[in-house]
Amino acid sequence: MMIRILLYLAIIIQFIAMYYAIRLVRLTKYNAIWILFIIGFMVLAGERVLQLVMTYGHHLPVEAMVWLDIVVSICVSVGIVLLDKLFEYIDRLNRNRQLTDKRVLTAVLRAEEQTRSEFSKELHDGLGPLLSSAKISLSAISRDEIDESRRDIFDNTLYVVEEALRSLREISNNLSPHVLSDFGLSRGIKNFIDRSSTLHNVKISFVTNLRSERYNTDIEVIMYRVVCELVTNSLKHSGCSEIRLSLTSSGDILELQYSDNGRGFNPQAVMDCGMGLSNINSRINSLNGTFDIRSTKGKGMRATIKVNVRGETRMVDRPAAIDQARPTHKKNKER
């Protein structure tokens, strides 16, 4: 009795499997796989039916059962071989999708940097000369020739123009750092740290073994933006008193070590909610690099970024770039 129940159950399961195999014929490529499985399940169901009939006392030729087993074996074996081809096809699709995503992200980042560069150039070449002319005109006026009642107005106007020029240079440099494009990654990072030092009472140290190496523009821009994002996050959110950066080149690997002694956070939670970490991760992924960040509450954070720069290094003969190899330690000043 138990054997009959199990045979009935097996027949039902075979038909259910056949139903799903029929659905997969329309959903995936390599339809021959599912057609073979459909045939195999159908033959197996037929074999179970014959075995069920035999339990009621009917006798069937042994050759028939053997032939059914042979058909099932052939269908399943060929189906498995084709299934391996299907998995290879799926892997190829995933690789192509990842490559497409990388190309799209790279195109977006390049377009963003191009827009930044153009906007920076318009500010620097358009509005900059106008403000400089205004300052020159004001400076040409002798302060002694102005009435006492209007000297404050003159001084305030000159101060506003000077502040506007300073802000314009800062905005232009933030949009498209000229030091980065002219002197390379190490010098660009050092310049950013020097500017940040004047605004925050935080000690920032930066060491590097780079000299006159220049890299692909995408690598330099992305690594620079990543450093800016990390430093800005630490200054705004961590409450740290010290930040350490190390940029080293070893063989084909460009490695950035970053740490602060701030209050720390949950990296996964912060990655999910933003704060720029997900943006950093996307940028590094576009370079096929790795981004590892670790943090514990009350113990600061540490980030390691590695990028393969094989074939992307070029030497630039600029004497000003030689001092990039020396470590710089900057004690920040209060505003």
Side-chain angles (χ1 to χ4, degrees):
M1 184 64 182
M2 180 60 68
I3 293 178
R4 291 178 183 176
I5 294 174
L6 292 176
L7 286 172
Y8 278 118
L9 182 61
I11 293 171
I12 294 173
I13 292 175
Q14 299 298 335
F15 279 107
I16 292 175
M18 192 187 311
Y19 166 75
Y20 281 103
I22 292 173
R23 289 186 57 187
L24 289 171
V25 171
R26 297 183 178 181
L27 295 178
T28 61
K29 195 179 179 182
Y30 294 98
N31 294 338
I33 300 173
W34 314 117
I35 293 174
L36 288 171
F37 282 148
I38 291 170
I39 295 173
F41 291 139
M42 187 180 300
V43 174
L44 281 175
E47 188 176 0
R48 299 290 88 80
V49 170
L50 292 177
Q51 291 173 348
L52 182 62
V53 171
M54 293 174 63
T55 61
Y56 286 97
H58 299 281
H59 296 282
L60 296 173
V62 177
E63 291 80 3
M65 303 298 295
V66 172
W67 278 110
L68 291 176
D69 288 337
I70 291 174
V71 172
V72 171
S73 298
I74 294 174
C75 291
V76 173
S77 300
V78 177
I80 291 297
V81 173
L82 294 178
L83 195 60
D84 182 67
K85 298 294 183 180
L86 177 61
F87 287 142
E88 291 180 359
Y89 172 74
I90 293 174
D91 289 340
R92 188 164 60 252
L93 285 181
N94 289 334
R95 288 195 298 269
N96 290 338
R97 186 183 300 111
Q98 292 174 357
L99 182 60
T100 301
D101 291 343
K102 177 188 173 183
R103 288 174 176 172
V104 170
L105 181 58
T106 301
V108 170
L109 294 176
R110 287 178 178 175
E112 178 185 342
E113 291 301 325
Q114 181 66 25
T115 303
R116 286 172 177 263
S117 178
E118 292 177 356
F119 189 39
S120 173
K121 185 177 180 181
E122 290 295 328
L123 286 176
H124 186 272
D125 298 341
L127 187 56
L130 294 177
L131 290 175
S132 297
S133 298
K135 179 183 177 181
I136 293 172
S137 298
L138 288 172
S139 300
I141 302 175
S142 176
R143 190 172 184 275
D144 296 333
E145 298 176 359
I146 302 176
D147 296 338
E148 187 70 27
S149 60
R150 295 185 177 181
R151 283 182 181 177
D152 289 340
I153 298 177
F154 173 81
D155 292 340
N156 288 336
T157 303
L158 184 60
Y159 173 77
V160 169
V161 173
E162 290 175 345
E163 283 296 301
L165 274 171
R166 184 190 63 79
S167 297
L168 178 63
R169 286 192 295 267
E170 183 175 345
I171 292 172
S172 176
N173 190 70
N174 287 336
L175 287 172
S176 181
H178 306 294
V179 175
L180 176 66
S181 59
D182 292 340
F183 298 100
L185 182 59
S186 179
R187 190 68 176 271
I189 292 175
K190 183 180 181 299
N191 185 67
F192 170 76
I193 290 174
D194 290 343
R195 288 186 289 110
S196 299
S197 300
T198 63
L199 303 177
H200 301 86
N201 188 27
V202 176
K203 181 181 179 181
I204 306 178
S205 62
F206 173 53
V207 294
T208 180
N209 66 350
L210 298 186
R211 293 182 179 273
S212 56
E213 294 90 345
R214 295 302 304 270
Y215 302 98
N216 180 282
T217 302
D218 292 337
I219 293 177
E220 291 188 344
V221 170
I222 288 177
M223 292 295 286
Y224 175 82
R225 297 295 179 194
V226 165
V227 169
C228 294
E229 189 74 39
L230 288 171
V231 172
T232 301
N233 283 342
S234 293
L235 294 176
K236 286 185 177 180
H237 305 290
S238 73
C240 64
S241 61
E242 184 177 5
I243 296 174
R244 296 177 179 270
L245 294 97
S246 171
L247 182 66
T248 58
S249 176
S250 178
D252 295 328
I253 301 299
L254 183 65
E255 180 176 349
L256 173 70
Q257 293 280 353
Y258 179 91
S259 64
D260 68 38
N261 63 347
R263 61 177 63 95
F265 54 88
N266 183 339
Q268 187 57 50
V270 173
M271 189 78 73
D272 293 338
C273 72
M275 252 185 75
L277 294 185
S278 59
N279 184 37
I280 291 175
N281 192 49
S282 298
R283 287 174 178 267
I284 298 302
N285 283 338
S286 71
L287 299 177
N288 289 329
T290 60
F291 175 46
D292 178 54
I293 182 169
R294 300 182 182 183
S295 179
T296 304
K297 289 189 176 181
K299 296 184 179 180
M301 63 84 71
R302 177 179 294 275
T304 302
I305 296 171
K306 295 182 180 180
V307 176
N308 192 317
V309 294
R310 180 180 302 170
E312 303 291 353
T313 306
R314 52 194 174 93
M315 306 299 292
V316 178
D317 186 17
R318 284 193 175 94
I322 295 178
D323 61 349
Q324 295 179 29
R326 293 195 293 266
T328 61
H329 299 276
K330 191 74 176 177
K331 176 64 181 178
N332 303 333
K333 304 176 183 178
E334 295 183 356
R335 186 183 304 214

